[in-house]
Amino acid sequence: MEQGKGRCRKKKHLPSFLHRATMAAERLEVLRRQLGTSNKAQQPLTELTRNETSAVSVISPPGTQYVIPNPLLTPEQVASYEKDGFLVIRNLVPHDKIDQYRQRFADICSRQVDSRGMVVMQDVAIVKSEFKEGEQAVTKIQEYQNDPVLFEYCRLPEILKYVECFTGRNIKAMHTMLINKPPDPGTKSSRHPMHQDLYYFPFRPAERIVCSWTAMERVDRSNGCLVVLPGTHKTELLQHEYPKWEGGVNKMYHGIRDYSPDHPRVHLVMEKGDTVFFHPLLIHGSGMNRTQGFRKAISCHYAASECHYIDVQGTIQQNIADEVIAIAKRKFGRDVDFKFEDAWRLKGRLVLGQDVNL
């Protein structure tokens, strides 16, 4: 009994920062056991997951179908996505829903709503005090999957009926964002470098992953609309790194090191409620916001729950994996056993059907 009491007294008098780190590590381990078990990882691959089993071999094999047969899309829409890797659906999300998301964003920025669990980001220019506090100080909110208002976007039937055409019936929301693109201060820092979203994802196959990106107001070239390179979803995952921009670059804004500048581009001019669905290998980015307003959009990356995690060590994804792991260790403690896939296990949420692997 005395030894037990002694141990309790010793643990109680640990330095507060060490005690917090220990508690965080224990909570993380509980979450890992709840969200992902070794038995799941060892399940045999289904037909859905056999055609991509490594981070290196991400070129879709000949005959790959990017759209699952469905009664929703027209033959022209199917052919367009198969050929180009993206599909724009006009006026898909009701405007009253978008207004609710806009108000929720404002409430989060003004701290009327608890933002714990979310990643609230500032542009490099805003960090240098180019803009005001409040809503104008935040350029992006990520990981809003636990916010009941914003996460409603990921569950909208209007969105999911299209997502199902690319992922199948079992769908998980894996990555959530609300983007508040700031006016450019003249440094071009409001740009987003050309990139492929699959670079950030340690799960496969690529053709069962899709992003929905909805304009919350009119977006065009003046305020930095999305620009895509049609057909690049049929290429391989390319090397990414931080671009060497004079005005600086935002955290996690890795860009493709080398791609053909002569490839045809499409600037996606969209109105409020318009939504683009696109493949994770599609090369895309956005230009400067040359207006005085903040350009808003809301998005979610979805994946079939039959997808499986892969080991990215030794691949071109290791750079981003190491960065994510370093951030996690600063948060939970250096001795925490944290893997790249743990970041996605913690924030993925089932939105339709059954949870199979992810």
Side-chain angles (χ1 to χ4, degrees), residues 23-41:
M23 293 296 292
E26 291 173 352
R27 288 196 300 271
L28 178 60
E29 183 58 30
V30 170
L31 285 170
R32 288 186 63 185
R33 288 198 300 269
Q34 291 175 341
L35 297 176
T37 65
S38 58
N39 289 336
K40 267 190 177 182

Side-chain angles (χ1 to χ4, degrees), residues 224-276:
C225 64
L226 287 180
V227 56
V228 300
L229 275 54
T232 51
H233 66 303
K234 297 182 179 180
T235 62
E236 61 186 331
L237 183 60
L238 302 174
Q239 184 71 50
H240 289 59
E241 62 184 18
Y242 279 113
K244 297 176 176 60
W245 290 350
E246 291 184 7
V249 63
N250 290 304
K251 191 71 172 174
M252 297 287 183
Y253 277 33
H254 293 213
I256 294 173
R257 177 186 294 175
D258 186 28
Y259 65 93
S260 174
D262 299 326
H263 195 289
R265 298 184 176 203
V266 175
H267 292 84
L268 299 181
V269 177
M270 300 167 65
E271 301 292 341
K272 181 178 180 180
D274 291 353
T275 301
V276 58

Side-chain angles (χ1 to χ4, degrees), residues 340-352:
F340 189 28
E341 68 185 61
D342 290 332
W344 299 99
R345 289 189 185 278
L346 292 172
K347 59 190 176 184
R349 287 191 65 185
L350 188 71
V351 291
L352 191 67

Side-chain angles (χ1 to χ4, degrees), residues 144-169:
Y144 62 68
Q145 70 275 2
N146 292 319
D147 184 85
V149 177
L150 293 181
F151 194 67
E152 182 186 338
Y153 168 80
C154 305
R155 290 174 163 161
L156 285 177
E158 296 91 337
I159 294 285
L160 290 179
K161 68 180 181 181
Y162 282 96
V163 172
E164 190 174 345
C165 298
F166 310 107
T167 63
R169 182 68 181 173

